[in-house]
Amino acid sequence: MNTKQATKRLALWTLIWLICQALASFGPLIVWQEQASVTLVAIGLTVLSGIGMIHANIIHLRSLDELQQKIQLESMALTLGLVLVFGLAYSLLDTTDIISVDAEISVVVIFMGLTYLAAMLLNNQRYV
């Protein structure tokens, strides 16, 4: 599969996962109230579509040339390391009551996205 097709496939699976995630998050609040079985189905669809998205990402990575793969790998490695270190530190700040707010996963996800974006920009600038 060429890179353009793999990118489109990844975008489609990401969109499907995003819609399922939104449905699982907001469905119980807006569409179906207090129906745990429907929520479980929505969460199951989210997990299945997430697996599809991961598979599409692997296919996408394999479609890239060696330099693009190197840029991706280094960006992902930096993101993983920073999210692990700062995510756990953030959690510890909450569990030890050093911060007054609850540590929310959404903060970690935003941090991860911004870290990956910055790493991709820096690595593209460095190698391209």
Side-chain angles (χ1 to χ4, degrees):
M1 180 177 290
N2 69 35
T3 302
K4 188 174 182 179
Q5 289 173 319
T7 302
K8 285 181 181 179
R9 176 185 243 180
L10 177 57
L12 177 63
W13 274 104
T14 302
L15 179 63
I16 291 168
W17 173 78
L18 182 63
I19 290 168
C20 289
Q21 184 70 36
L23 185 66
S25 296
F26 301 114
L29 302 173
I30 300 168
V31 182
W32 63 86
Q33 285 77 22
E34 299 182 29
Q35 293 184 20
S37 59
V38 179
T39 302
L40 282 173
V41 169
I43 292 169
L45 289 173
T46 301
V47 170
L48 291 175
S49 62
I51 292 168
M53 181 180 65
I54 292 166
H55 185 260
N57 196 28
I58 291 167
I59 291 170
H60 177 259
L61 288 172
R62 288 181 182 157
S63 75
L64 300 175
D65 65 35
E66 289 179 10
L67 179 58
Q68 291 172 326
Q69 287 179 358
K70 180 179 177 68
I71 290 169
Q72 287 283 340
L73 180 63
E74 288 187 15
S75 298
M76 289 177 179
L78 180 61
T79 300
L80 174 64
L82 289 173
V83 169
L84 184 64
V85 169
F86 288 103
L88 289 173
Y90 177 57
S91 176
L92 285 170
L93 289 171
D94 177 27
T95 59
T96 57
D97 291 326
I98 293 175
I99 58 175
S100 60
V101 296
D102 289 333
E104 296 289 336
I105 190 68
S106 58
V107 174
V108 177
V109 171
I110 291 167
F111 177 73
M112 180 173 51
L114 293 174
T115 301
Y116 180 69
L117 177 63
M120 283 294 294
L121 291 171
L122 290 171
N123 283 327
N124 270 302
Q125 185 178 23
R126 183 168 63 162
Y127 290 115
V128 178

